[in-house]
Amino acid sequence: SKMTVKAVKMPCTSANVYTKVPDGGWGWTVAFAFFVVEALTYGIIKSFGVFFNDLMESFDETNSRISWIISICVFVQTFTAPLSTVLSNRFGHRLVVMAGGLLVSTGMVIASFARSVVDMYVTIGIVSGLGYCLSFLPTVTILSQYFDKRRSLVTAVASTGECFAVFSFAPAITALKEQIGWRYSMLSVGVLQLGITACGSLLRPIVIREQEEVKAHPPEESTETKYMLENEQTCTSIESIDSGVDITTSPSNVPGKTKAEPKSEEPKQHGQNPVENNSTPPEPKTKLLDFSVMRDYSFICYAFFGLFATLGFFAPSLYIIPLSRSLGIGKDHSAYILSAMAIAEVFGRIFAGWVLNKKPIRKIYIELICVILLSVALVAFPFASGFWGLMICSVYFGFMLGTVAGTHIPLLAEDDVVGIERMSSAAGVYVFIQSLAGLAGPPLAGVLVDTTKNYSSAFYSCAAGMVLGAVFLALVRPCKTGLCHHQQQQQQVEESMAGPPPELPDDFIDMDIGKAENSGKGSDSV
């Protein structure tokens, strides 16, 4: 029978149970929640550059020391990713995201009353950073579980929330600062981030249970007649069927030449629906954190790609406004440049999701091309001059950033990396490895700016990291195919040395029944 997508209606606090990955349903609500969470997490982080000059003037600090605020925040967010995975597997995604929203809002509100940059390190860096981790990672993980065929497209479109946030928040916060100052503007942002808690309440867990197959018997056909027909085809007795022994018939004896397998092995071998059974097998225990992904060489290469590529994710949006100001561009026009970058990133994310949704296509190679083009965009910034030069570079960078930033975590669910089964643990470990680059990236760019007195050096450091990331990304697919092929060759060698297993003839049932009859006659004669 054809398996349909049917959700079991349950209370809001219960899980959504589907017979297969729904590719929709409540997943659209989860996608909307992820859109808002993206806007209130990464959107705020990328818009933090509008406070950069205000913090330098208020606290009388250098570029590098102010950069440590976002650096510590990104480090805590990525370093605590395994903790987010463990808590999500233990308490569920909903409670973890709601708790993360409270931490994000609390840290930002307290930061508005900070009297030194060290206070910012604690409030935004540690408190909000931990909240960002607990909010973002569980949301993108559960969204990937609701979609299969549309996963790349839906995730890319939903991730545009941060782009719309940068587009709207940067000019809005800039205008708000002129009216009420940067402190009350930051306080307003913190109150707005309470919306993450509301989004967390929408994250219903999902359970995939294969639909049970129910055999419909004709009402006019009696049970005995049915067994007699089976006897003519399989040469077995009614007693052998009534005893509960599953008999495997040959393909030539079954109409349509479909081989009937034992019930316990049928779903594994043919991917069919499990036969209805009175006893429910115990559900396997879910590991809180599976570090077995660290033995996968393709995942290791992909993790190093994320490590170095992170250098180019945050620094450009953090330094684009100071760079434009150093070129004599006004505050309003500088905010427009950041907004244009955000709008271009929206189209980049949608374009990447649309391309990766095409089949057949090797998604890892598309990601590699986008990373290489993103490296070119970073190198182009130092050669820009004037408002329109920076605008063109920002639009190009934003588009290419969207193609990479919106897909690099969901690609963990692809078989070229780890697969959907280990996606939750792999995402935690992957983001954890990114923490080192998140900690070192912005301060490294700040030190280079303070040393060279030129903001172009920050973009060169980002480009260098992105190029290294492209090298490791290029090794992901060869590691996966090379190791798997090598393992298959070893298995074939072992099987050839052990010898092929004996093949059973098609009429082995008749042979077994004949042996049983002969043994019965022998016992009677004795």
mmCIF file with all atom_site columns, all heavy atoms in Angstrom, residues 38-60:
data_model
loop_
_atom_site.group_PDB
_atom_site.id
_atom_site.type_symbol
_atom_site.label_atom_id
_atom_site.label_alt_id
_atom_site.label_comp_id
_atom_site.label_asym_id
_atom_site.label_entity_id
_atom_site.label_seq_id
_atom_site.pdbx_PDB_ins_code
_atom_site.Cartn_x
_atom_site.Cartn_y
_atom_site.Cartn_z
_atom_site.occupancy
_atom_site.B_iso_or_equiv
_atom_site.pdbx_formal_charge
_atom_site.auth_seq_id
_atom_site.auth_comp_id
_atom_site.auth_asym_id
_atom_site.auth_atom_id
_atom_site.pdbx_PDB_model_num
ATOM 1   N N   . GLU A 1 38 ? 16.589 33.839 13.395 1.00 0.00 ? 38 GLU A N   1
ATOM 2   C CA  . GLU A 1 38 ? 17.742 34.332 12.634 1.00 0.00 ? 38 GLU A CA  1
ATOM 3   C C   . GLU A 1 38 ? 17.825 35.855 12.702 1.00 0.00 ? 38 GLU A C   1
ATOM 4   O O   . GLU A 1 38 ? 18.907 36.420 12.858 1.00 0.00 ? 38 GLU A O   1
ATOM 5   C CB  . GLU A 1 38 ? 17.619 33.881 11.183 1.00 0.00 ? 38 GLU A CB  1
ATOM 6   C CG  . GLU A 1 38 ? 18.175 32.503 10.901 1.00 0.00 ? 38 GLU A CG  1
ATOM 7   C CD  . GLU A 1 38 ? 19.630 32.551 10.498 1.00 0.00 ? 38 GLU A CD  1
ATOM 8   O OE1 . GLU A 1 38 ? 20.190 33.659 10.431 1.00 0.00 ? 38 GLU A OE1 1
ATOM 9   O OE2 . GLU A 1 38 ? 20.214 31.480 10.261 1.00 0.00 ? 38 GLU A OE2 1
ATOM 10  N N   . ALA A 1 39 ? 16.684 36.512 12.584 1.00 0.00 ? 39 ALA A N   1
ATOM 11  C CA  . ALA A 1 39 ? 16.677 37.978 12.601 1.00 0.00 ? 39 ALA A CA  1
ATOM 12  C C   . ALA A 1 39 ? 17.134 38.526 13.949 1.00 0.00 ? 39 ALA A C   1
ATOM 13  O O   . ALA A 1 39 ? 17.861 39.527 14.013 1.00 0.00 ? 39 ALA A O   1
ATOM 14  C CB  . ALA A 1 39 ? 15.269 38.495 12.268 1.00 0.00 ? 39 ALA A CB  1
ATOM 15  N N   . LEU A 1 40 ? 16.729 37.875 15.031 1.00 0.00 ? 40 LEU A N   1
ATOM 16  C CA  . LEU A 1 40 ? 17.017 38.385 16.373 1.00 0.00 ? 40 LEU A CA  1
ATOM 17  C C   . LEU A 1 40 ? 18.322 37.850 16.950 1.00 0.00 ? 40 LEU A C   1
ATOM 18  O O   . LEU A 1 40 ? 18.691 38.233 18.061 1.00 0.00 ? 40 LEU A O   1
ATOM 19  C CB  . LEU A 1 40 ? 15.859 38.035 17.311 1.00 0.00 ? 40 LEU A CB  1
ATOM 20  C CG  . LEU A 1 40 ? 14.504 38.645 16.936 1.00 0.00 ? 40 LEU A CG  1
ATOM 21  C CD1 . LEU A 1 40 ? 13.432 38.224 17.923 1.00 0.00 ? 40 LEU A CD1 1
ATOM 22  C CD2 . LEU A 1 40 ? 14.591 40.170 16.869 1.00 0.00 ? 40 LEU A CD2 1
ATOM 23  N N   . THR A 1 41 ? 19.013 36.981 16.238 1.00 0.00 ? 41 THR A N   1
ATOM 24  C CA  . THR A 1 41 ? 20.321 36.490 16.697 1.00 0.00 ? 41 THR A CA  1
ATOM 25  C C   . THR A 1 41 ? 21.422 37.014 15.775 1.00 0.00 ? 41 THR A C   1
ATOM 26  O O   . THR A 1 41 ? 22.080 38.011 16.076 1.00 0.00 ? 41 THR A O   1
ATOM 27  C CB  . THR A 1 41 ? 20.333 34.955 16.755 1.00 0.00 ? 41 THR A CB  1
ATOM 28  O OG1 . THR A 1 41 ? 19.938 34.408 15.483 1.00 0.00 ? 41 THR A OG1 1
ATOM 29  C CG2 . THR A 1 41 ? 19.392 34.440 17.828 1.00 0.00 ? 41 THR A CG2 1
ATOM 30  N N   . TYR A 1 42 ? 21.605 36.359 14.642 1.00 0.00 ? 42 TYR A N   1
ATOM 31  C CA  . TYR A 1 42 ? 22.668 36.784 13.721 1.00 0.00 ? 42 TYR A CA  1
ATOM 32  C C   . TYR A 1 42 ? 22.379 38.162 13.128 1.00 0.00 ? 42 TYR A C   1
ATOM 33  O O   . TYR A 1 42 ? 23.324 38.901 12.794 1.00 0.00 ? 42 TYR A O   1
ATOM 34  C CB  . TYR A 1 42 ? 22.835 35.757 12.601 1.00 0.00 ? 42 TYR A CB  1
ATOM 35  C CG  . TYR A 1 42 ? 23.649 34.554 13.015 1.00 0.00 ? 42 TYR A CG  1
ATOM 36  C CD1 . TYR A 1 42 ? 23.042 33.347 13.320 1.00 0.00 ? 42 TYR A CD1 1
ATOM 37  C CD2 . TYR A 1 42 ? 25.027 34.630 13.101 1.00 0.00 ? 42 TYR A CD2 1
ATOM 38  C CE1 . TYR A 1 42 ? 23.781 32.247 13.703 1.00 0.00 ? 42 TYR A CE1 1
ATOM 39  C CE2 . TYR A 1 42 ? 25.783 33.540 13.482 1.00 0.00 ? 42 TYR A CE2 1
ATOM 40  C CZ  . TYR A 1 42 ? 25.156 32.341 13.784 1.00 0.00 ? 42 TYR A CZ  1
ATOM 41  O OH  . TYR A 1 42 ? 25.891 31.256 14.173 1.00 0.00 ? 42 TYR A OH  1
ATOM 42  N N   . GLY A 1 43 ? 21.107 38.502 12.974 1.00 0.00 ? 43 GLY A N   1
ATOM 43  C CA  . GLY A 1 43 ? 20.798 39.840 12.472 1.00 0.00 ? 43 GLY A CA  1
ATOM 44  C C   . GLY A 1 43 ? 21.290 40.934 13.399 1.00 0.00 ? 43 GLY A C   1
ATOM 45  O O   . GLY A 1 43 ? 21.833 41.951 12.953 1.00 0.00 ? 43 GLY A O   1
ATOM 46  N N   . ILE A 1 44 ? 21.124 40.726 14.713 1.00 0.00 ? 44 ILE A N   1
ATOM 47  C CA  . ILE A 1 44 ? 21.611 41.709 15.692 1.00 0.00 ? 44 ILE A CA  1
ATOM 48  C C   . ILE A 1 44 ? 23.136 41.708 15.738 1.00 0.00 ? 44 ILE A C   1
ATOM 49  O O   . ILE A 1 44 ? 23.770 42.777 15.849 1.00 0.00 ? 44 ILE A O   1
ATOM 50  C CB  . ILE A 1 44 ? 21.018 41.407 17.077 1.00 0.00 ? 44 ILE A CB  1
ATOM 51  C CG1 . ILE A 1 44 ? 19.488 41.545 17.043 1.00 0.00 ? 44 ILE A CG1 1
ATOM 52  C CG2 . ILE A 1 44 ? 21.613 42.329 18.134 1.00 0.00 ? 44 ILE A CG2 1
ATOM 53  C CD1 . ILE A 1 44 ? 18.992 42.915 16.678 1.00 0.00 ? 44 ILE A CD1 1
ATOM 54  N N   . ILE A 1 45 ? 23.743 40.524 15.665 1.00 0.00 ? 45 ILE A N   1
ATOM 55  C CA  . ILE A 1 45 ? 25.210 40.455 15.700 1.00 0.00 ? 45 ILE A CA  1
ATOM 56  C C   . ILE A 1 45 ? 25.808 41.220 14.523 1.00 0.00 ? 45 ILE A C   1
ATOM 57  O O   . ILE A 1 45 ? 26.777 41.978 14.669 1.00 0.00 ? 45 ILE A O   1
ATOM 58  C CB  . ILE A 1 45 ? 25.666 38.982 15.691 1.00 0.00 ? 45 ILE A CB  1
ATOM 59  C CG1 . ILE A 1 45 ? 25.277 38.299 17.010 1.00 0.00 ? 45 ILE A CG1 1
ATOM 60  C CG2 . ILE A 1 45 ? 27.178 38.894 15.485 1.00 0.00 ? 45 ILE A CG2 1
ATOM 61  C CD1 . ILE A 1 45 ? 25.617 36.828 17.052 1.00 0.00 ? 45 ILE A CD1 1
ATOM 62  N N   . LYS A 1 46 ? 25.233 41.028 13.328 1.00 0.00 ? 46 LYS A N   1
ATOM 63  C CA  . LYS A 1 46 ? 25.772 41.702 12.154 1.00 0.00 ? 46 LYS A CA  1
ATOM 64  C C   . LYS A 1 46 ? 25.447 43.195 12.148 1.00 0.00 ? 46 LYS A C   1
ATOM 65  O O   . LYS A 1 46 ? 26.141 43.973 11.484 1.00 0.00 ? 46 LYS A O   1
ATOM 66  C CB  . LYS A 1 46 ? 25.219 41.049 10.887 1.00 0.00 ? 46 LYS A CB  1
ATOM 67  C CG  . LYS A 1 46 ? 25.777 39.668 10.629 1.00 0.00 ? 46 LYS A CG  1
ATOM 68  C CD  . LYS A 1 46 ? 25.327 39.131 9.280  1.00 0.00 ? 46 LYS A CD  1
ATOM 69  C CE  . LYS A 1 46 ? 25.971 37.798 8.977  1.00 0.00 ? 46 LYS A CE  1
ATOM 70  N NZ  . LYS A 1 46 ? 25.564 37.271 7.652  1.00 0.00 ? 46 LYS A NZ  1
ATOM 71  N N   . SER A 1 47 ? 24.418 43.589 12.855 1.00 0.00 ? 47 SER A N   1
ATOM 72  C CA  . SER A 1 47 ? 24.067 45.013 12.931 1.00 0.00 ? 47 SER A CA  1
ATOM 73  C C   . SER A 1 47 ? 24.799 45.736 14.059 1.00 0.00 ? 47 SER A C   1
ATOM 74  O O   . SER A 1 47 ? 24.629 46.960 14.211 1.00 0.00 ? 47 SER A O   1
ATOM 75  C CB  . SER A 1 47 ? 22.552 45.176 13.136 1.00 0.00 ? 47 SER A CB  1
ATOM 76  O OG  . SER A 1 47 ? 21.824 44.555 12.106 1.00 0.00 ? 47 SER A OG  1
ATOM 77  N N   . PHE A 1 48 ? 25.599 45.003 14.828 1.00 0.00 ? 48 PHE A N   1
ATOM 78  C CA  . PHE A 1 48 ? 26.253 45.605 15.980 1.00 0.00 ? 48 PHE A CA  1
ATOM 79  C C   . PHE A 1 48 ? 27.278 46.655 15.569 1.00 0.00 ? 48 PHE A C   1
ATOM 80  O O   . PHE A 1 48 ? 27.706 47.474 16.388 1.00 0.00 ? 48 PHE A O   1
ATOM 81  C CB  . PHE A 1 48 ? 26.930 44.524 16.834 1.00 0.00 ? 48 PHE A CB  1
ATOM 82  C CG  . PHE A 1 48 ? 27.319 44.970 18.203 1.00 0.00 ? 48 PHE A CG  1
ATOM 83  C CD1 . PHE A 1 48 ? 26.364 45.073 19.209 1.00 0.00 ? 48 PHE A CD1 1
ATOM 84  C CD2 . PHE A 1 48 ? 28.623 45.305 18.503 1.00 0.00 ? 48 PHE A CD2 1
ATOM 85  C CE1 . PHE A 1 48 ? 26.715 45.492 20.479 1.00 0.00 ? 48 PHE A CE1 1
ATOM 86  C CE2 . PHE A 1 48 ? 28.986 45.723 19.769 1.00 0.00 ? 48 PHE A CE2 1
ATOM 87  C CZ  . PHE A 1 48 ? 28.028 45.814 20.761 1.00 0.00 ? 48 PHE A CZ  1
ATOM 88  N N   . GLY A 1 49 ? 27.663 46.647 14.299 1.00 0.00 ? 49 GLY A N   1
ATOM 89  C CA  . GLY A 1 49 ? 28.625 47.641 13.832 1.00 0.00 ? 49 GLY A CA  1
ATOM 90  C C   . GLY A 1 49 ? 28.132 49.067 13.962 1.00 0.00 ? 49 GLY A C   1
ATOM 91  O O   . GLY A 1 49 ? 28.940 50.005 14.022 1.00 0.00 ? 49 GLY A O   1
ATOM 92  N N   . VAL A 1 50 ? 26.813 49.273 14.039 1.00 0.00 ? 50 VAL A N   1
ATOM 93  C CA  . VAL A 1 50 ? 26.288 50.636 14.182 1.00 0.00 ? 50 VAL A CA  1
ATOM 94  C C   . VAL A 1 50 ? 26.621 51.207 15.559 1.00 0.00 ? 50 VAL A C   1
ATOM 95  O O   . VAL A 1 50 ? 26.597 52.437 15.737 1.00 0.00 ? 50 VAL A O   1
ATOM 96  C CB  . VAL A 1 50 ? 24.766 50.649 13.962 1.00 0.00 ? 50 VAL A CB  1
ATOM 97  C CG1 . VAL A 1 50 ? 24.424 50.171 12.563 1.00 0.00 ? 50 VAL A CG1 1
ATOM 98  C CG2 . VAL A 1 50 ? 24.040 49.800 14.993 1.00 0.00 ? 50 VAL A CG2 1
ATOM 99  N N   . PHE A 1 51 ? 26.921 50.352 16.537 1.00 0.00 ? 51 PHE A N   1
ATOM 100 C CA  . PHE A 1 51 ? 27.321 50.825 17.870 1.00 0.00 ? 51 PHE A CA  1
ATOM 101 C C   . PHE A 1 51 ? 28.835 50.971 17.999 1.00 0.00 ? 51 PHE A C   1
ATOM 102 O O   . PHE A 1 51 ? 29.314 51.398 19.057 1.00 0.00 ? 51 PHE A O   1
ATOM 103 C CB  . PHE A 1 51 ? 26.844 49.837 18.949 1.00 0.00 ? 51 PHE A CB  1
ATOM 104 C CG  . PHE A 1 51 ? 25.355 49.751 19.085 1.00 0.00 ? 51 PHE A CG  1
ATOM 105 C CD1 . PHE A 1 51 ? 24.673 48.630 18.635 1.00 0.00 ? 51 PHE A CD1 1
ATOM 106 C CD2 . PHE A 1 51 ? 24.614 50.771 19.667 1.00 0.00 ? 51 PHE A CD2 1
ATOM 107 C CE1 . PHE A 1 51 ? 23.305 48.532 18.761 1.00 0.00 ? 51 PHE A CE1 1
ATOM 108 C CE2 . PHE A 1 51 ? 23.245 50.686 19.792 1.00 0.00 ? 51 PHE A CE2 1
ATOM 109 C CZ  . PHE A 1 51 ? 22.585 49.563 19.333 1.00 0.00 ? 51 PHE A CZ  1
ATOM 110 N N   . PHE A 1 52 ? 29.577 50.609 16.962 1.00 0.00 ? 52 PHE A N   1
ATOM 111 C CA  . PHE A 1 52 ? 31.028 50.495 17.074 1.00 0.00 ? 52 PHE A CA  1
ATOM 112 C C   . PHE A 1 52 ? 31.679 51.827 17.470 1.00 0.00 ? 52 PHE A C   1
ATOM 113 O O   . PHE A 1 52 ? 32.404 51.912 18.479 1.00 0.00 ? 52 PHE A O   1
ATOM 114 C CB  . PHE A 1 52 ? 31.613 49.993 15.745 1.00 0.00 ? 52 PHE A CB  1
ATOM 115 C CG  . PHE A 1 52 ? 32.871 49.206 15.885 1.00 0.00 ? 52 PHE A CG  1
ATOM 116 C CD1 . PHE A 1 52 ? 32.833 47.859 16.199 1.00 0.00 ? 52 PHE A CD1 1
ATOM 117 C CD2 . PHE A 1 52 ? 34.100 49.813 15.728 1.00 0.00 ? 52 PHE A CD2 1
ATOM 118 C CE1 . PHE A 1 52 ? 33.986 47.131 16.329 1.00 0.00 ? 52 PHE A CE1 1
ATOM 119 C CE2 . PHE A 1 52 ? 35.264 49.095 15.856 1.00 0.00 ? 52 PHE A CE2 1
ATOM 120 C CZ  . PHE A 1 52 ? 35.214 47.750 16.157 1.00 0.00 ? 52 PHE A CZ  1
ATOM 121 N N   . ASN A 1 53 ? 31.422 52.872 16.698 1.00 0.00 ? 53 ASN A N   1
ATOM 122 C CA  . ASN A 1 53 ? 32.051 54.167 16.980 1.00 0.00 ? 53 ASN A CA  1
ATOM 123 C C   . ASN A 1 53 ? 31.546 54.773 18.289 1.00 0.00 ? 53 ASN A C   1
ATOM 124 O O   . ASN A 1 53 ? 32.308 55.445 19.006 1.00 0.00 ? 53 ASN A O   1
ATOM 125 C CB  . ASN A 1 53 ? 31.795 55.129 15.819 1.00 0.00 ? 53 ASN A CB  1
ATOM 126 C CG  . ASN A 1 53 ? 32.533 54.727 14.553 1.00 0.00 ? 53 ASN A CG  1
ATOM 127 O OD1 . ASN A 1 53 ? 33.604 54.137 14.617 1.00 0.00 ? 53 ASN A OD1 1
ATOM 128 N ND2 . ASN A 1 53 ? 31.943 55.035 13.404 1.00 0.00 ? 53 ASN A ND2 1
ATOM 129 N N   . ASP A 1 54 ? 30.282 54.521 18.627 1.00 0.00 ? 54 ASP A N   1
ATOM 130 C CA  . ASP A 1 54 ? 29.747 55.049 19.887 1.00 0.00 ? 54 ASP A CA  1
ATOM 131 C C   . ASP A 1 54 ? 30.449 54.426 21.086 1.00 0.00 ? 54 ASP A C   1
ATOM 132 O O   . ASP A 1 54 ? 30.749 55.129 22.075 1.00 0.00 ? 54 ASP A O   1
ATOM 133 C CB  . ASP A 1 54 ? 28.245 54.770 19.968 1.00 0.00 ? 54 ASP A CB  1
ATOM 134 C CG  . ASP A 1 54 ? 27.480 55.443 18.850 1.00 0.00 ? 54 ASP A CG  1
ATOM 135 O OD1 . ASP A 1 54 ? 27.428 56.682 18.826 1.00 0.00 ? 54 ASP A OD1 1
ATOM 136 O OD2 . ASP A 1 54 ? 26.934 54.728 17.998 1.00 0.00 ? 54 ASP A OD2 1
ATOM 137 N N   . LEU A 1 55 ? 30.710 53.125 21.007 1.00 0.00 ? 55 LEU A N   1
ATOM 138 C CA  . LEU A 1 55 ? 31.394 52.453 22.114 1.00 0.00 ? 55 LEU A CA  1
ATOM 139 C C   . LEU A 1 55 ? 32.847 52.919 22.221 1.00 0.00 ? 55 LEU A C   1
ATOM 140 O O   . LEU A 1 55 ? 33.372 53.060 23.335 1.00 0.00 ? 55 LEU A O   1
ATOM 141 C CB  . LEU A 1 55 ? 31.331 50.936 21.927 1.00 0.00 ? 55 LEU A CB  1
ATOM 142 C CG  . LEU A 1 55 ? 29.926 50.309 21.948 1.00 0.00 ? 55 LEU A CG  1
ATOM 143 C CD1 . LEU A 1 55 ? 30.006 48.804 21.713 1.00 0.00 ? 55 LEU A CD1 1
ATOM 144 C CD2 . LEU A 1 55 ? 29.226 50.592 23.270 1.00 0.00 ? 55 LEU A CD2 1
ATOM 145 N N   . MET A 1 56 ? 33.497 53.138 21.090 1.00 0.00 ? 56 MET A N   1
ATOM 146 C CA  . MET A 1 56 ? 34.876 53.626 21.119 1.00 0.00 ? 56 MET A CA  1
ATOM 147 C C   . MET A 1 56 ? 34.950 55.009 21.768 1.00 0.00 ? 56 MET A C   1
ATOM 148 O O   . MET A 1 56 ? 35.868 55.291 22.550 1.00 0.00 ? 56 MET A O   1
ATOM 149 C CB  . MET A 1 56 ? 35.455 53.672 19.698 1.00 0.00 ? 56 MET A CB  1
ATOM 150 C CG  . MET A 1 56 ? 35.689 52.308 19.062 1.00 0.00 ? 56 MET A CG  1
ATOM 151 S SD  . MET A 1 56 ? 36.277 52.434 17.360 1.00 0.00 ? 56 MET A SD  1
ATOM 152 C CE  . MET A 1 56 ? 37.795 53.358 17.589 1.00 0.00 ? 56 MET A CE  1
ATOM 153 N N   . GLU A 1 57 ? 33.985 55.869 21.478 1.00 0.00 ? 57 GLU A N   1
ATOM 154 C CA  . GLU A 1 57 ? 33.994 57.207 22.051 1.00 0.00 ? 57 GLU A CA  1
ATOM 155 C C   . GLU A 1 57 ? 33.578 57.200 23.522 1.00 0.00 ? 57 GLU A C   1
ATOM 156 O O   . GLU A 1 57 ? 34.158 57.923 24.339 1.00 0.00 ? 57 GLU A O   1
ATOM 157 C CB  . GLU A 1 57 ? 33.051 58.111 21.247 1.00 0.00 ? 57 GLU A CB  1
ATOM 158 C CG  . GLU A 1 57 ? 33.491 58.334 19.810 1.00 0.00 ? 57 GLU A CG  1
ATOM 159 C CD  . GLU A 1 57 ? 32.471 59.117 19.011 1.00 0.00 ? 57 GLU A CD  1
ATOM 160 O OE1 . GLU A 1 57 ? 31.418 59.481 19.603 1.00 0.00 ? 57 GLU A OE1 1
ATOM 161 O OE2 . GLU A 1 57 ? 32.711 59.370 17.811 1.00 0.00 ? 57 GLU A OE2 1
ATOM 162 N N   . SER A 1 58 ? 32.605 56.395 23.881 1.00 0.00 ? 58 SER A N   1
ATOM 163 C CA  . SER A 1 58 ? 32.112 56.387 25.263 1.00 0.00 ? 58 SER A CA  1
ATOM 164 C C   . SER A 1 58 ? 33.119 55.766 26.228 1.00 0.00 ? 58 SER A C   1
ATOM 165 O O   . SER A 1 58 ? 33.306 56.271 27.344 1.00 0.00 ? 58 SER A O   1
ATOM 166 C CB  . SER A 1 58 ? 30.787 55.617 25.342 1.00 0.00 ? 58 SER A CB  1
ATOM 167 O OG  . SER A 1 58 ? 29.798 56.245 24.560 1.00 0.00 ? 58 SER A OG  1
ATOM 168 N N   . PHE A 1 59 ? 33.749 54.693 25.811 1.00 0.00 ? 59 PHE A N   1
ATOM 169 C CA  . PHE A 1 59 ? 34.689 53.975 26.685 1.00 0.00 ? 59 PHE A CA  1
ATOM 170 C C   . PHE A 1 59 ? 36.143 54.331 26.405 1.00 0.00 ? 59 PHE A C   1
ATOM 171 O O   . PHE A 1 59 ? 37.042 53.850 27.109 1.00 0.00 ? 59 PHE A O   1
ATOM 172 C CB  . PHE A 1 59 ? 34.500 52.466 26.536 1.00 0.00 ? 59 PHE A CB  1
ATOM 173 C CG  . PHE A 1 59 ? 33.119 51.995 26.899 1.00 0.00 ? 59 PHE A CG  1
ATOM 174 C CD1 . PHE A 1 59 ? 32.495 51.008 26.163 1.00 0.00 ? 59 PHE A CD1 1
ATOM 175 C CD2 . PHE A 1 59 ? 32.432 52.546 27.975 1.00 0.00 ? 59 PHE A CD2 1
ATOM 176 C CE1 . PHE A 1 59 ? 31.218 50.561 26.494 1.00 0.00 ? 59 PHE A CE1 1
ATOM 177 C CE2 . PHE A 1 59 ? 31.162 52.118 28.315 1.00 0.00 ? 59 PHE A CE2 1
ATOM 178 C CZ  . PHE A 1 59 ? 30.550 51.124 27.573 1.00 0.00 ? 59 PHE A CZ  1
ATOM 179 N N   . ASP A 1 60 ? 36.390 55.165 25.356 1.00 0.00 ? 60 ASP A N   1
ATOM 180 C CA  . ASP A 1 60 ? 37.746 55.575 24.992 1.00 0.00 ? 60 ASP A CA  1
ATOM 181 C C   . ASP A 1 60 ? 38.639 54.347 24.797 1.00 0.00 ? 60 ASP A C   1
ATOM 182 O O   . ASP A 1 60 ? 39.693 54.209 25.419 1.00 0.00 ? 60 ASP A O   1
ATOM 183 C CB  . ASP A 1 60 ? 38.339 56.498 26.073 1.00 0.00 ? 60 ASP A CB  1
ATOM 184 C CG  . ASP A 1 60 ? 39.618 57.174 25.595 1.00 0.00 ? 60 ASP A CG  1
ATOM 185 O OD1 . ASP A 1 60 ? 39.824 57.249 24.365 1.00 0.00 ? 60 ASP A OD1 1
ATOM 186 O OD2 . ASP A 1 60 ? 40.406 57.597 26.464 1.00 0.00 ? 60 ASP A OD2 1
#
